[in-house]
């Protein structure tokens, strides 16, 4: 179009240039324009007339064709009337041709019989040949002959069906004559299914045999489809069709897979405690090996539309699901439940099995359904927790009973690498906890947390029993202090066990508990710490009771005439305490420090109690001076002893012995007029001192009259008391015989 436009423009330019060659022609431009306009209008008018004429010609032609068509329709209608008339006249003639029709059908059957005559006569021979081929394993050739036999039989039956579908006698006659063929088909099928059952083995040794089997199945599938199509058209289908060998093949594979999974259980619980672990491991290995073979070899022997690998994958998954549900329904023990759940929830989809890189990308572990439902998982976990609770309670009870048997041994308990006495109880308990937590961790984090909570909960109950048993141990010993022989050493081991338990609990929580869960166990942990501290404190108290039972005769000598005459009771006390503390050195911190502090305190308390018992009353200033100086000397002995025992512990060994010295100063005072001042100084330092203590102290002094005692006590009661906030009361533990106070105040 662009080229045509350019040519038109060029022609117009030439024409205009020809008309306007001279200047005077410019005056005629308007005339030229009108002339050209008239020419243009004339051309357009002619074109319109031509267009209308063309349309009229087309309408005329169409009307003519419609008229001809109408005439043709009338002719056809007349012809149909004539045909109908002729057909009605020939009905009788057609009925007379029935014999001809029967003859044609009979001829067709005879022709088919003649065509298959050779095959019909050779049926017994073909059957024998086919049987031989099957026995020799030449399955393709055997199937070819079987197909020929079936084709002959089916054609004969079809012709008989066409001639007389109700003639069952002839049908049965044909079926009976070809009866051996059905047995051949069944025999061939057995051979095929044997190959299919061993397909994973066959594909490695002789893949061509498996391919032959698949080809035979495909042939049968095509024949099935053809027979079904003919049935839709004629209503006839040969006996035994459709064979559905493809469907049977998959059913055989499915049964084979199920049998393979079930057959992996080689042991029972009675013969092997690890039967389930072995069973699951064999399943894992077999399934992985089979799927790898299916992917690399088997898939190449089947047509793509069989999708053999995915079908096998689904079969294995379903068989495994069925087997796992069967195992879950059994009365499993706790360790067996863990093995099963760990395998189902973790191993199955791990790289050791379905997640193996060689199975990728055909196997997507994320698309695999769960082998057992969440409801079954929850039931197993509930049963596991219930069984584990009973087991832990039993294990803890047994561990404690075993430990108690050690307490009565005549040999000392073992010491750790630092020389501290201990028993095996903490190690046994926490080894058992550790094992169960490691097992629970194989399943999931949630179960691990639940097991940890269970262990700590049972630990709390166990410590209460441990405390009671330690108390009974002490009570039994008090009945006969000679038994058990190593009571002190085992009580030290019990105390040390408390510290070991504390450290083990912290270690267990740090290793197995998430940080965000620590607040949940805070109260439980606090309770366990408190119980352990009580056990240790009672153990320390028991040991100190043991010490002070041995010290009792020497404590009874204090503040007596014998003591004043030069008794070595305090020296013996110090030697005895130091001897005991040679054993107590094997107590762990911080309980060792607790023992030292408590021993120091009790020695001072017993010494002050001896003073308050008023066993002696000094007769003169000389005796008071001698007694006070002896008290100060003995306080120094105690100070030296406990400073030595507390070396490195940071204990303040000065304050307690100062009390003895303060009391000695009251006794040593020579001027009775200053007695009130000295006593008030003593009271200000030790505000828990009571009236009966002051009365007893003045009685020991021996020079205070009844009125002086009364005055001093009443005056002290009126004075303000401002105790030192750091002072630990000591006099409240000391009881003064009540009968002596009223006598003094009379």
């Amino acid at each position: 179009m662009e080229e045509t436009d350019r040519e038109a423009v060029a022609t117009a330019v030439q024409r205009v240039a020809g008309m306007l060659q001279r200047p005077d022609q410019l005056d005629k431009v308007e005339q030229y324009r009108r002339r050209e306009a008239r020419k243009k209008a004339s051309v357009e008018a002619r074109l319109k007339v031509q267009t209308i004429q063309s349309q009229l010609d087309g309408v005329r032609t169409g009307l003519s064709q419609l008229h001809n068509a109408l005439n043709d329709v009338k002719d056809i209608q007349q012809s149909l009337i004539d045909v109908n008339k002729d057909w009605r006249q020939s009905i009788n003639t057609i009925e007379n041709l029935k014999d001809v029709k029967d003859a044609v059908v009979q001829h067709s059957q005879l022709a088919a019989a003649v065509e298959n005559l050779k095959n019909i006569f050779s049926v017994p021979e073909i059957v024998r040949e086919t049987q031989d081929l099957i026995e020799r394993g030449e399955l393709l050739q055997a199937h070819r002959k079987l197909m020929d036999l079936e084709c002959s039989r089916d054609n004969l039956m079809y012709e008989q069906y066409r001639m007389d579908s109700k003639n069952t006698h002839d049908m049965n006659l044909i079926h009976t004559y070809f009866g051996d063929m059905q047995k051949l088909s069944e025999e061939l099928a057995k051979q095929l299914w044997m190959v299919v059952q061993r397909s994973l083995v066959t594909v490695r040794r002789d893949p061509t045999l498996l391919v032959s089997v698949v080809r035979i199945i495909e042939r049968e599938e095509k024949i099935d489809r053809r027979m079904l199509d003919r049935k839709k058209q004629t209503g006839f289908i040969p006996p035994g069709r459709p064979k559905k060998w493809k469907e049977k093949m998959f059913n055989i594979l499915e049964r084979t897979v199920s049998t393979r999974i079930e057959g992996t259980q080689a042991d029972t619980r009675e013969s092997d405690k690890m039967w389930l672990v072995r069973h699951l491991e064999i399943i894992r290995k077999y399934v992985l090996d089979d799927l790898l073979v299916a992917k690399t070899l088997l898939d190449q022997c089947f047509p793509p539309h069989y999708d053999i690998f995915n079908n096998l994958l689904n079969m294995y998954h379903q068989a495994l699901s069925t087997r796992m549900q069967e195992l879950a329904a059994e009365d499993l023990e706790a360790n067996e439940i863990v093995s099963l759940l760990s395998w189902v929830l973790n191993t199955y989809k791990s790289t050791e099995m379905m997640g193996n890189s060689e199975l990728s990308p055909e196997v997507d572990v994320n698309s695999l359904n769960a082998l057992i439902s969440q409801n079954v998982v929850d039931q197993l976990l509930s049963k596991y927790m219930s069984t584990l609770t009973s087991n832990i309670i039993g294990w803890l009870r047994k561990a404690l009973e075993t430990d108690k048997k050690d307490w009565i041994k005549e040999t000392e308990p073992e010491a750790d690498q630092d020389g501290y006495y201990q028993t095996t109880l903490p190690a046994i308990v926490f080894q058992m906890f550790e094992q169960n937590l490691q097992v629970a961790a194989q399943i999931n984090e949630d179960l691990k947390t639940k097991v940890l909570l269970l262990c700590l909960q049972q630990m709390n109950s166990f410590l209460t029993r441990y405390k009671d048993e330690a108390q009974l141990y002490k009570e039994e010993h008090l009945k006969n202090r000679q038994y058990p022989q190593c009571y002190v050493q085992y009580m030290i081991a019990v105390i040390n066990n408390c510290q070991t338990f504390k450290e083990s609990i912290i270690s267990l929580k740090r290793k197995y508990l998430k940080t965000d869960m620590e607040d949940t166990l805070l109260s439980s942990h606090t309770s366990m710490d408190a119980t352990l501290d009580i056990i240790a404190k009672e153990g320390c108290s028991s040991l100190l009771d043991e010490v002070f039972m041995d010290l009792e005769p020497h404590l009874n000598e204090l503040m007596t005439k014998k003591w004043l005459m030069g008794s070595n009771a305090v020296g013996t006390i110090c030697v005895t305490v130091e001897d005991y503390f040679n054993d107590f050195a094997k107590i762990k911190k911080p309980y060792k420090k607790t023992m030292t502090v408590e021993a120091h305190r009790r020695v001072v308390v017993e010494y002050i109690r001896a003073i308050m018992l008023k066993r002696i009353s000094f007769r003169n200033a000389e005796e008071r001076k001698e007694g006070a100086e002896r008290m100060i000397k003995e306080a120094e002995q105690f100070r030296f002893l406990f400073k030595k025992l507390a070396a490195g512990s940071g204990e303040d060994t000065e304050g307690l012995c100062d009390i003895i010295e303060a009391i000695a100063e009251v006794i040593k005072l020579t001027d009775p007029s200053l007695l009130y001042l000295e006593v008030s100084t003593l009271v200000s330092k030790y505000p828990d001192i009571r009236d009966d203590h002051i009365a007893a102290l003045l009685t020991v002094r021996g020079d205070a009259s009844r009125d002086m005692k009364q005055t001093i006590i009443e005056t002290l009661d009126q004075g303000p008391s401002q105790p030192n906030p750091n002072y630990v009361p000591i006099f409240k533990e000391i009881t003064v015989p009540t009968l002596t106070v009223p006598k003094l105040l009379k």
Side-chain angles (χ1 to χ4, degrees):
M1 288 294 293
E2 294 180 358
E3 186 65 28
T4 304
D5 290 344
R6 283 196 295 272
E7 290 179 358
V9 170
T11 304
V13 170
Q14 281 184 343
R15 189 172 178 188
V16 171
M19 288 189 292
L20 300 177
Q21 291 181 356
R22 298 188 306 275
D24 59 334
Q25 290 178 324
L26 293 174
D27 296 335
K28 299 180 179 181
V29 167
E30 185 61 28
Q31 182 181 349
Y32 293 152
R33 190 184 63 76
R34 287 195 298 271
R35 186 175 68 189
E36 293 300 325
R38 286 196 298 273
K39 288 181 179 180
K40 180 181 178 184
S42 175
V43 170
E44 289 177 350
R46 286 199 302 272
L47 289 172
K48 289 180 180 179
V49 171
Q50 289 176 358
T51 302
I52 293 172
Q53 185 64 38
S54 175
Q55 291 176 347
L56 289 174
D57 291 341
V59 171
R60 189 179 296 112
T61 302
L63 289 172
S64 175
Q65 290 175 347
L66 287 172
H67 181 70
N68 293 336
L70 180 61
N71 292 333
D72 292 340
V73 169
K74 289 179 179 179
D75 292 341
I76 293 169
Q77 185 179 15
Q78 185 60 43
S79 299
L80 288 173
I81 292 171
D82 295 340
V83 169
N84 187 46
K85 183 179 178 181
D86 294 340
W87 176 75
R88 291 183 181 278
Q89 292 175 352
S90 62
I91 288 177
N92 294 330
T93 306
I94 292 172
E95 290 179 352
N96 294 333
L97 295 175
K98 185 176 184 300
D99 294 338
V100 176
K101 177 183 176 184
D102 293 341
V104 170
V105 172
Q106 187 177 8
H107 176 75
S108 175
Q109 290 176 340
L110 290 172
V114 170
E115 184 179 349
N116 292 286
L117 194 59
K118 181 180 179 181
N119 289 337
I120 292 171
F121 284 124
S122 60
V123 165
E125 182 183 352
I126 296 174
V127 168
R128 285 193 299 271
E129 291 176 357
T130 306
Q131 183 68 45
D132 291 341
L133 290 170
I134 292 174
E135 291 175 357
R136 293 201 302 268
E138 299 178 12
L139 302 182
L140 276 175
Q141 292 82 346
H143 185 252
R144 173 58 64 186
K145 289 187 177 293
L146 181 62
M147 288 172 62
D148 292 340
L149 289 172
E150 288 181 342
C151 184
S152 298
R153 182 201 64 178
D154 296 347
N155 288 338
L156 288 172
M157 283 187 166
Y158 177 62
E159 293 301 332
Q160 177 62 35
Y161 179 83
R162 285 177 58 194
M163 182 178 70
D164 186 2
S165 61
K166 296 181 181 179
N167 188 350
T168 57
H169 179 269
D170 289 347
M171 282 289 194
N172 290 335
L173 183 63
I174 297 172
H175 187 66
T176 303
Y177 184 75
F178 285 90
D180 290 339
M181 184 189 67
Q182 183 61 31
K183 295 179 181 178
L184 285 177
S185 179
E186 294 173 358
E187 183 64 28
L188 178 62
K190 288 181 181 179
Q191 296 297 321
L192 299 183
W193 306 148
M194 286 177 61
V195 175
V196 170
Q197 286 175 348
R198 304 183 73 252
S199 56
L200 291 169
V201 177
T202 304
V203 76
R204 302 182 195 184
R205 299 178 181 176
D206 187 8
T208 56
L209 178 59
L210 183 60
V211 171
S212 297
V213 170
V214 175
R215 288 179 62 187
I216 292 171
I217 293 171
E218 273 294 278
R219 287 176 183 174
E220 290 294 337
E221 284 294 300
K222 289 179 182 178
I223 297 172
D224 279 350
R225 289 193 294 270
R226 189 167 66 248
M227 293 297 107
L228 289 172
D229 290 341
R230 187 165 70 176
K231 181 184 178 184
K232 291 178 183 177
Q233 297 173 3
T234 65
F236 171 76
I237 190 166
R241 291 289 177 184
K243 291 185 179 181
K244 298 182 179 179
W245 277 9
K246 179 180 178 182
E247 181 180 332
K248 290 181 180 178
M249 181 200 74
F250 279 113
N251 290 337
I252 293 293
L253 280 174
E254 189 171 358
R255 287 199 297 271
T256 302
V257 168
S258 297
T259 304
R260 185 162 174 79
I261 296 300
E262 293 172 1
T264 55
Q265 183 176 343
D267 302 298
T268 61
R269 183 182 295 116
E270 291 73 21
S271 62
D272 186 355
K273 291 295 184 182
M274 300 297 290
W275 69 275
L276 184 58
V277 174
R278 295 180 186 278
H279 181 36
L280 294 173
E281 176 57 20
I282 293 172
I283 289 177
R284 183 199 68 78
K285 187 176 184 303
Y286 279 12
V287 171
L288 179 59
D289 290 346
D290 290 354
L291 289 178
L292 288 174
V293 171
K295 178 186 175 183
T296 56
L297 300 176
L298 201 64
D299 202 34
Q300 301 174 15
C301 298
F302 286 80
H305 64 272
Y306 275 57
D307 196 14
I308 190 66
F309 178 76
N310 285 325
N311 274 303
L312 269 176
L313 177 63
N314 292 332
M315 291 176 193
Y316 273 103
H317 180 81
Q318 187 57 45
L320 287 172
S321 179
T322 302
R323 184 56 183 156
M324 295 306 119
Q325 290 176 26
E326 291 172 354
L327 291 172
E330 293 187 14
D331 187 18
L332 298 176
E333 297 178 354
N335 62 315
E336 294 170 350
I337 291 175
V338 170
S339 298
L340 180 63
L341 288 178
S342 177
W343 196 93
V344 168
L345 300 178
N346 301 322
T347 303
Y348 181 60
K349 294 186 178 181
S350 71
T351 55
E352 297 178 355
M353 198 171 177
M354 292 303 188
N356 190 287
S357 58
E358 295 184 37
L359 292 177
S360 181
E362 283 76 7
V363 178
D364 180 10
V365 293
N366 295 321
S367 64
L368 293 173
N369 295 326
L371 290 176
I372 54 179
S373 66
Q374 186 59 43
N375 184 42
V376 175
V377 172
D378 292 341
Q379 290 176 2
L380 287 174
L381 289 176
S382 176
K383 181 179 179 182
Y384 172 73
M385 291 300 294
S386 176
T387 305
L388 182 61
T389 302
S390 300
N391 288 345
I392 288 178
I393 292 173
W395 290 332
L396 290 175
R397 184 178 293 113
K398 184 176 180 180
L400 184 54
E401 290 298 323
T402 303
D403 206 55
K404 283 168 56 182
K405 291 178 181 177
D406 291 342
W407 295 355
I408 58 177
K409 286 182 178 179
E410 295 182 358
T411 56
E412 292 184 355
E414 296 180 357
D416 63 12
Q417 58 185 3
D418 297 319
Y420 297 117
Y421 285 139
Q422 62 178 7
T423 67
T424 57
L425 182 63
I428 291 172
V429 169
F430 282 92
Q431 184 180 10
M432 181 261 293
F433 286 170
E434 186 91 17
Q435 289 173 351
N436 283 283
L437 285 166
Q438 288 174 357
V439 167
Q442 296 174 10
I443 299 178
N444 54 40
E445 286 290 323
D446 184 53
L447 181 63
K448 183 183 74 174
T449 303
K450 287 182 179 178
V451 171
L452 177 60
L453 295 175
L454 172 63
C455 290
L456 295 179
Q457 177 186 359
Q458 294 303 321
M459 183 68 187
N460 217 342
S461 303
F462 167 76
L463 290 178
T464 302
R465 294 196 299 273
Y466 192 49
K467 177 170 70 70
D468 295 341
E469 292 297 339
Q471 183 63 29
L472 289 173
Y473 183 52
K474 172 188 173 182
E475 292 173 2
E476 287 296 321
H477 172 69
L478 291 177
K479 293 177 182 178
N480 179 4
R481 291 189 60 210
Q482 303 301 317
Y483 178 82
Q485 187 174 338
C486 296
Y487 168 78
V488 171
Q489 289 80 1
Y490 277 100
M491 186 57 76
I492 291 174
V494 169
I495 296 169
N496 288 340
N497 284 349
C498 293
Q499 184 61 24
T500 305
F501 275 129
K502 280 188 175 184
E503 295 168 355
S504 299
I505 291 169
I506 293 172
S507 175
L508 203 67
K509 288 175 60 179
R510 186 182 296 118
K511 186 174 180 180
Y512 291 101
L513 188 66
K514 293 181 180 178
T515 307
D516 55 0
M517 292 287 292
E518 288 186 358
D519 292 342
T520 309
L521 296 178
L522 184 60
S523 60
S524 176
H525 192 172
T526 303
S527 174
M528 283 187 284
D529 276 356
T531 304
L532 288 168
D533 284 338
I534 291 172
I535 296 171
K537 184 177 179 181
E538 290 180 352
C540 292
S541 178
S542 299
L543 291 176
L544 289 178
D545 289 345
E546 192 75 7
V547 175
F548 281 88
M549 286 180 194
D550 287 348
L551 294 180
E552 187 173 359
H554 309 293
L555 291 171
N556 290 336
E557 285 187 17
L558 298 176
M559 306 306 297
T560 62
K561 290 292 185 182
K562 183 179 179 181
W563 169 79
L564 187 61
M565 297 291 293
S567 167
N568 193 32
V570 169
T572 305
I573 290 172
C574 290
V575 170
T576 304
V577 170
E578 186 173 4
D579 182 57
Y580 268 102
F581 266 82
N582 287 331
D583 285 336
F584 296 165
K586 296 183 179 181
I587 298 177
K588 288 184 178 180
K589 296 178 181 179
Y591 301 124
K592 180 182 176 181
K593 178 181 178 181
T594 302
M595 280 286 289
T596 308
V597 171
E598 186 60 23
H600 188 178
R601 181 180 183 81
R602 285 182 67 167
V603 166
V604 172
V605 166
E606 291 299 326
Y607 195 95
I608 296 173
R609 181 177 285 113
I611 297 172
M612 299 303 167
L613 287 174
K614 299 167 289 187
R615 293 171 180 158
I616 188 173
S617 178
F618 296 114
R619 292 174 297 183
N620 51 51
E622 185 64 29
E623 282 190 357
R624 285 192 290 276
K625 179 181 179 182
E626 184 180 350
E629 288 177 351
R630 190 171 185 82
M631 290 170 63
I632 293 171
K633 178 182 177 183
E634 290 172 348
E636 189 61 33
Q637 284 180 268
F638 290 144
R639 184 181 286 113
F640 176 79
L641 170 66
F642 287 105
K643 188 173 183 179
K644 178 180 178 182
L645 296 179
S649 68
E651 179 208 348
D652 179 13
T653 59
E654 303 294 330
L656 291 173
C657 293
D658 289 346
I659 301 175
I660 299 175
E661 293 180 346
I663 292 174
E665 291 298 328
V666 173
I667 293 174
K668 186 179 179 180
L669 185 68
T670 55
D671 187 355
S673 62
L674 299 177
L675 192 58
Y676 167 75
L677 182 61
E678 194 68 36
V679 171
S680 64
T681 301
L682 181 68
V683 172
S684 64
K685 286 183 179 180
Y686 311 107
D688 64 320
I689 195 169
R690 299 189 301 273
D691 294 350
D692 52 351
H693 294 136
I694 296 171
L697 179 59
L698 294 176
T699 300
V700 171
R701 244 188 86 82
D703 64 342
S705 64
R706 183 177 58 188
D707 293 338
M708 181 182 294
K709 294 176 186 176
Q710 186 73 25
T711 301
I712 291 173
I713 291 171
E714 290 177 355
T715 305
L716 288 173
D717 287 341
Q718 296 173 3
S721 177
Q722 296 180 347
N724 185 343
N726 297 323
Y727 173 68
V728 179
I730 193 169
F731 282 93
K732 69 177 183 178
E733 301 178 28
I734 301 171
T735 303
V736 178
T738 53
L739 293 176
T740 60
V741 176
K743 290 180 181 179
L744 290 171
L745 299 179
K746 284 180 181 179

